[in-house]
Structure formats: structure tokens, C-alpha cells
Amino acid sequence: MVPETVASRPVRQVLTDHVHDKLLELLMDGRYEPNEALSIDGIARELDVSATPVREALARLEVTGLVIRVALRGYRVAPLLSTAELAELMDARLTIEPVNALRACERATPELIEALDHSIAELRAAPRGPEFATYRDYWQADMRFHELIAEGAGNRFLLMAHNCLGGSVQRFRLFTGLGVTDAEYAIAEHTTILAAFRAQSPEQARQAMINHLHGVKNRGAKDVVDHG
């Protein structure tokens, strides 16, 4: 087997990123049914690429919980979260993210506060649906706000736990065909968290994150019922 050259890596990475983004869009828009088997060769033909970037993209999407890998059977689309599963996901986030907020606030730099402020401005400006292509920027800004705080906490194990949850993707999956339904609430809650960072109050930041995640949990439960 010919080893991959340094020059070829960026091209391959760009192709994998493209396939990943396209599959993410298809999954978020419900183009594949929950529990549907995903054929790597079939997707490769559909997207006019080789099987390798499809396989790599699916492996990345598995981390988000959007697809599931079954031994000897390949990948399938994950089912939509039930009300109970969404509650479990949010309970996990409630265990991790308030600690992240507290620690990140303790360590906050002007650059972090500026980046958080910028992500909120992007939330306000971003389109909100109903297709993933029209709320992708909103989702990315929302995700970035929480990632900045997780990174700012300075604990690599908490960051790994945060990244493995895929909570943002799973929640936004509920907006398929509806558009973002809770933007004003989320923006206000993010703004309250940012205010605690500016006030240099770690405890306020922790409590503001708890309040935000409880709001997301309650609104998500309603969205699950509406989808059902």
C-alpha cells in the first residue's frame, strides 16, 4: 500500500469534510429515516466519491449520536430521542456544563469574553430554518458558545465528555421542518451567562448555565411531543 503523502492529506481532509457536511445536512433534514441502514457504497455513488471519505465521515458522525454502528452490519440512522432519552442527555449536560461555566469564568480572559459575545451576535443574525441549510449558522453559533466555555474550563477530561455528548446536534434534530423555535429564549439565556463572565462571578455563571440547560430541557421535551 502506498503511504499517504503530506501533500495528499489536505485534499483528502477537505473531501471528508465535504462528505461529512453533506451527510449531516441529509440526516438533520430527515432525508434518511430513523433506523434506516446506511450503505457506504450507496452513499459513495450518490455523492460521487470513493468509499473512504464516506466511511471516515460516518465515523465522525457516530460520535454525535446521529448514526449508530452495528457490528457486522455497518451503520444505521439513530432513532429520534424519546422524551426520556432527551431528559437523560440534558441531565448529563447539567452534570458537566455548569462546572465548565464556573471554571471557565474563573479563568476568563478578555479574548474569551469577546468570543462569547461574538457567538451571541452570530445567533441573533443567523437564519432559523426550516431546513438545516437555513439554520446551520445558528446551530454552529450555539454550539460554539458552549464549546468556548468547555475549552475555557481548562480540563481536558471535561472537554472530552462535553464533546462526546453531541447534545447540540441531537437537540437541533428536533427542529427538522420547523426551524429554530426557541431562539429568543436561548439568546437571552446565553446573554445572562455572558453577563456573569463580565461580572467575574463564577457562581453566577454556574447558576446561569443551570437555568439555561433546564430551559433547553423543558423546551426540548415539548418539541419531542410535537414531533410525536
Side-chain angles (χ1 to χ4, degrees):
M1 181 176 180
V2 178
E4 185 180 48
T5 65
V6 173
S8 73
R9 287 175 190 157
V11 174
R12 175 173 166 178
Q13 186 61 52
V14 167
L15 183 57
T16 298
D17 289 345
H18 169 73
V19 173
H20 171 273
D21 290 349
K22 184 59 179 178
L23 283 175
L24 175 63
E25 180 178 332
L26 294 172
L27 288 162
M28 295 293 277
D29 281 342
R31 292 279 296 277
Y32 298 113
E33 294 292 327
N35 296 308
E36 180 179 345
L38 295 171
S39 165
I40 290 176
D41 291 338
I43 293 171
R45 287 193 297 271
E46 180 182 351
L47 300 183
D48 194 25
V49 297
S50 69
T52 298
V54 175
R55 190 176 294 108
E56 292 174 349
L58 286 170
R60 285 168 57 182
L61 288 165
E62 184 182 8
V63 177
T64 70
L66 287 176
V67 300
I68 298 170
R69 187 172 183 272
V70 182
L72 304 179
R73 295 187 180 183
Y75 290 94
R76 63 182 176 87
V77 182
L80 289 170
L81 293 182
S82 66
T83 302
E85 289 167 336
L86 179 64
E88 289 180 0
L89 170 61
M90 295 312 302
D91 285 345
R93 292 184 65 184
L94 277 160
T95 300
I96 295 167
E97 295 196 51
V99 177
N100 282 342
L102 185 146
R103 300 302 183 200
C105 188
E106 290 175 339
R107 298 160 44 91
T109 62
E111 291 76 18
L112 173 58
I113 291 172
E114 181 180 357
L116 292 172
D117 187 36
H118 182 68
S119 74
I120 294 173
E122 289 181 326
L123 279 180
R124 291 195 179 99
R128 301 174 188 176
E131 295 179 345
F132 184 63
T134 57
Y135 69 80
R136 180 193 290 268
D137 289 347
Y138 182 96
W139 164 68
Q140 288 178 332
D142 180 271
M143 182 173 63
R144 186 59 183 154
F145 181 87
H146 290 272
E147 285 178 344
L148 284 166
I149 291 174
E151 292 164 359
N155 185 313
R156 68 182 185 276
F157 298 106
L158 284 173
L159 179 60
M160 289 169 58
H162 170 85
N163 291 340
C164 285
L165 287 177
S168 179
V169 172
Q170 291 292 347
R171 182 171 79 88
F172 276 81
R173 197 178 178 196
L174 299 173
F175 297 139
T176 298
L178 301 174
V180 180
T181 58
D182 70 341
E184 297 308 323
Y185 293 103
I187 290 169
E189 290 158 3
H190 282 202
T191 302
T192 300
I193 295 168
L194 174 59
F197 273 72
R198 284 184 166 143
Q200 300 180 340
S201 176
E203 180 54 34
Q204 286 183 22
R206 185 188 72 84
Q207 188 59 55
M209 181 63 78
I210 290 172
N211 294 343
H212 171 48
L213 293 175
H214 275 300
V216 171
K217 181 178 180 179
N218 293 335
R219 295 190 296 270
K222 180 179 181 299
D223 287 330
V224 171
V225 172
D226 290 345
H227 269 71

